[in-house]
């Protein structure tokens, strides 16, 4: 079913794993609460390290670091929103079961999915490299507005403005497709 979602050959192989639906439900529920999805799909993360550049005394996100996410963003952008919506409708009973296994009895997962989409769609697009400062082995945003974003939003920001726009556009397309009545079977 996954192979029909994208025109990019091999994209589905990134997602083939045991408990895909269960992992996806946990990831979406976490994003809805603002947590980063990165820990659930470590294989999708970039191999290259995050880099910063120094301009005088200030540190900034190295724009070349954004390229680490190009393949993931392009793959996500290649998804056919209507086919994703149809697949979701097909596996929705399994999604509901996985959500109940997390302890959310008789609560609709659709609301969680909508909230997760909103968290990511509401992430600002930062056109210029953001200033950061070192915190132990990690970096934090110098701009309090960016630092106050949820971990899920900060993860999306690290993908760079072009990739953020691609992902947000596709999320909007999928959300619109999910809001439409189910496609007739022909």
């Amino acid at each position: 079913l996954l192979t029909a979602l994208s025109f990019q050959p091999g994209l589905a192989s990134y997602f083939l794993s045991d408990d895909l639906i269960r992992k996806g439900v946990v990831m979406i529920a976490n994003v809805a609460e603002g947590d980063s999805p990165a820990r659930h799909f470590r294989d999708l993360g970039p191999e290259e390290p995050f880099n910063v550049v120094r301009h005088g005394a200030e540190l900034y996100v190295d724009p070349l670091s954004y390229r680490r996410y190009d393949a993931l963003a392009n793959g996500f952008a290649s998804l056919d929103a209507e086919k994703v919506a149809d697949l979701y409708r097909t596996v929705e009973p399994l999604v509901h079961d996985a959500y109940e296994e997390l302890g959310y009895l008789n609560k609709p997962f659709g609301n969680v999915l909508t909230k997760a989409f909103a968290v990511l769609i509401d992430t600002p697009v930062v056109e210029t490299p953001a200033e950061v400062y070192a915190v132990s082995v990690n970096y934090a945003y110098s701009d309090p507005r960016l630092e106050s974003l949820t971990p899920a939003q900060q993860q999306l920001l690290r993908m760079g403005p072009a990739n953020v726009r691609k992902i947000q556009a596709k999320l909007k397309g999928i959300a619109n497709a999910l809001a439409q009545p189910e496609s007739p079977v022909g």
Side-chain angles (χ1 to χ4, degrees):
L1 294 173
L2 291 173
T3 59
L5 297 181
S6 169
F7 60 82
Q8 285 197 354
L11 180 66
S13 65
Y14 285 112
F15 298 101
L16 295 178
S17 70
D18 292 336
D19 296 325
L20 177 64
I21 290 176
R22 200 172 281 116
K23 287 178 185 177
V25 166
V26 169
M27 180 199 67
I28 291 167
N30 287 168
V31 169
E33 294 305 316
D35 292 335
S36 174
R39 70 175 182 259
H40 300 292
F41 290 96
R42 295 214 185 271
D43 293 343
L44 295 178
E47 293 179 15
E48 301 85 11
F50 175 81
N51 291 310
V52 297
V53 292
R54 184 175 295 280
H55 293 289
E58 289 85 24
L59 295 174
Y60 293 87
V61 175
D62 183 350
L64 295 177
S65 283
Y66 303 149
R67 291 184 182 164
R68 304 173 315 143
Y69 293 100
D70 286 353
L72 180 61
N74 290 336
F76 190 77
S78 77
L79 295 173
D80 181 303
E82 297 293 330
K83 289 179 181 178
V84 170
D86 288 343
L87 177 60
Y88 176 78
R89 290 181 188 108
T90 299
V91 300
E92 195 168 11
L94 299 173
V95 168
H96 178 74
D97 290 347
Y99 192 56
E100 281 192 346
E101 286 176 13
L102 293 175
Y104 300 102
L105 304 176
N106 301 316
K107 293 186 180 180
F109 182 75
N111 295 346
V112 175
L113 183 61
T114 299
K115 185 176 178 185
F117 279 19
V119 165
L120 298 177
I121 290 169
D122 291 343
T123 302
V125 178
V126 179
E127 295 297 338
T128 58
E131 185 178 349
V132 295
Y133 61 92
V135 179
S136 185
V137 296
N138 295 313
Y139 293 91
Y141 290 104
S142 297
D143 182 338
R145 181 180 63 97
L146 299 180
E147 189 56 32
S148 69
L149 294 173
T150 68
Q153 292 173 316
Q154 289 183 7
Q155 178 68 46
L156 185 57
L157 277 184
R158 283 192 286 278
M159 297 179 82
N163 289 331
V164 170
R165 282 192 295 277
K166 287 177 191 176
I167 289 178
Q168 288 175 331
K170 187 54 64 174
L171 288 171
K172 289 174 187 174
I174 293 169
N176 287 336
L178 286 168
Q180 301 302 316
E182 189 168 347
S183 302
V185 178

